[in-house]
Amino acid sequence: MGRLTRRPQFLAVAGARRKWAAPGLILQARAHDERQHPRPDEPAVRVGFTASKKVGGAVERNRARRRLRAAVAEVLAPHAAAGYDFVLVARGETVRRPWPDLKQDLATALKRLKAWRDGVAVSAATAPPPADGSPDTSPAPMADTMAGPAAGGDRP
């Protein structure tokens, strides 16, 4: 995943007028064209994050952006169609929305904007064993050490 970092990139995505508003976020999308596209050495999907003062103070805005980045890693990264720029806009509800609902908001927005692709990459934990019979040398998946109420409940 690439990042949108400059204001003109954000404005180009907003200018495409393709967006979906959900209770936890607003997703804006823009297909690449000859005027704005990533360089050949950059990823085919780029993402930008924004949170205005309507979301709250600095602590709430930073938490909202962190939650959106985590949702992108779990939902957008494996399911976003290549050739798009996305901007996720935090809303006041972003910091209070239950984690599964926030991820569902993002998945629904991707589907509504017709930028969803099926087929999640096979992880090492679910990959079939090698065909030649050699032992699997991939590292074992790590347990989630951040689970539980002491670590902040069900949200990152």
Side-chain angles (χ1 to χ4, degrees):
M1 286 254 140
R3 291 292 299 266
L4 298 176
T5 56
R6 296 181 338 207
R7 181 172 166 78
Q9 295 171 329
F10 282 82
L11 293 176
V13 174
R17 298 186 180 265
R18 287 188 62 197
K19 70 177 182 177
W20 183 259
L25 57 90
I26 298 171
L27 179 67
Q28 300 172 334
R30 180 180 191 273
H32 294 157
D33 60 11
E34 66 280 347
R35 290 187 309 130
Q36 184 168 337
H37 54 83
R39 292 189 312 261
D41 61 330
E42 290 182 333
V45 176
R46 298 185 298 181
V47 181
F49 302 93
T50 185
S52 71
K53 288 189 178 182
K54 290 181 186 179
V55 173
V59 172
E60 289 86 6
R61 291 194 309 270
N62 289 334
R63 174 171 277 189
R65 281 191 295 268
R66 278 195 309 271
R67 294 190 84 209
L68 290 176
R69 280 194 298 269
V72 162
E74 289 189 25
V75 177
L76 196 90
H79 294 291
Y84 280 91
D85 289 339
F86 297 101
V87 173
L88 279 87
V89 181
R91 303 184 84 179
E93 189 64 23
T94 303
V95 291
R96 292 180 294 280
R97 189 118 169 108
W99 180 241
D101 293 342
L102 186 63
K103 291 193 310 184
Q104 186 58 45
D105 288 348
L106 182 55
T108 300
L110 267 178
K111 290 175 184 175
R112 295 290 183 143
L113 293 175
K114 308 238 185 304
W116 178 270
R117 74 171 162 85
D118 287 322
V120 179
V122 177
S123 69
T126 60
D132 63 357
S134 63
D136 185 17
T137 59
S138 62
M142 293 180 56
D144 185 13
T145 58
M146 295 295 289
D154 61 347
R155 356 174 239 234

